[in-house]
Amino acid sequence: AQSVTQLDSHVSVSEGTPVLLRCNYSSSYSPSLFWYVQHPNKGLQLLLKYTSAATLVKGINGFEAEFKKSETSFHLTKPSAHMSDAAEYFCVVRGGGADGLTFGKGTHLIIQP
Amino acid sequence: NAGVTQTPKFRVLKTGQSMTLLCAQDMNHEYMYWYRQDPGMGLRLIHYSVGEGTTAKGEVPDGYNVSRLKKQNFLLGLESAAPSQTSVYFCASRATAYRSGANVLTFGAGSRLTVL
């Protein structure tokens, strides 16, 4: 079984400042981890994924995430926030089986001008 | 563009009415999923399918039925809608484990359902 916890339901940052969205996971398997983004009234889009290769994963739009097995974390970061980054972000862990995808409850990222 | 298409995008039902949501994908993906999204709950899996003619229950299957008669289509049915089924429904698909991009879900744009 696996689970994922997004530690903040809302994060507010000023445009141009760094972004940190936190995610902790648990998994009985060697996990695959993902971050998805959902803009208002849209479907979910893949930002990046970790599948046991490099622990620092680069994604689209300047986002990256670091897999830390010792801390069971997969935090999402971006050096400089842009207004277009305002969205809902979901951390997802995949364990075993066809249905083995577990979503976090989401973090709402607010960008202040 | 290739991807996952959901119809309808919006629907309002009265309690007790029935309806079907259609999901179509043109990527030849084997696996298809129906999720519901509610505020503060993330996405919860309703039903899924690992291939044509197969379906399985997810985390919250009660009150829903599904069918996968064709590989490209996955239908979600509500036989007797209840206000608790007011939600945004997302369909997603992905390839099997041995194909490129197998772990990555492709999502539709969502179907917003309101049950009065």
Side-chain angles (χ1 to χ4, degrees), chain A residues 6 14 30-31 35 50 55 58 61 69 72 92 105:
Chain A
Q6 293 185 241
S14 298
S30 180
W35 277 98
Y50 166 79
T55 56
K58 293 188 184 300
N61 299 334
K69 186 174 181 179
T72 61
V92 182
K105 295 193 186 321

Side-chain angles (χ1 to χ4, degrees), chain B residues 20-71:
Chain B
T20 300
L21 298 177
L22 171 65
C23 176
Q25 53 95 4
D26 58 4
M27 297 168 287
N28 201 32
H29 283 171
E30 289 76 13
Y31 296 171
M32 296 187 74
Y33 303 83
W34 276 108
Y35 291 91
R36 61 177 288 173
Q37 183 181 30
D38 302 291
M41 301 292 288
L43 271 74
R44 293 181 291 169
L45 182 63
I46 304 171
H47 286 279
Y48 66 100
S49 168
V50 300
E52 182 178 320
T54 73
T55 62
K57 294 180 179 180
E59 179 186 356
V60 289
D62 293 342
Y64 305 95
N65 57 76
V66 288
S67 65
R68 184 114 180 256
L69 299 179
K70 294 182 178 180
K71 185 177 183 178

Side-chain angles (χ1 to χ4, degrees), chain A residues 94-109:
Chain A
R94 182 177 185 274
D99 64 333
L101 285 156
T102 302
F103 285 77
K105 295 193 186 321
T107 298
H108 186 60
L109 178 61

Side-chain angles (χ1 to χ4, degrees), chain A residues 36 38 43 90 94 98 105, chain B residues 33 37 40 90 94 103 105 108:
Chain A
Y36 282 84
Q38 183 184 30
F90 293 95
R94 182 177 185 274
K105 295 193 186 321
Chain B
Y33 303 83
Q37 183 181 30
F90 286 97
R94 70 177 178 94
N103 282 323
L105 288 174

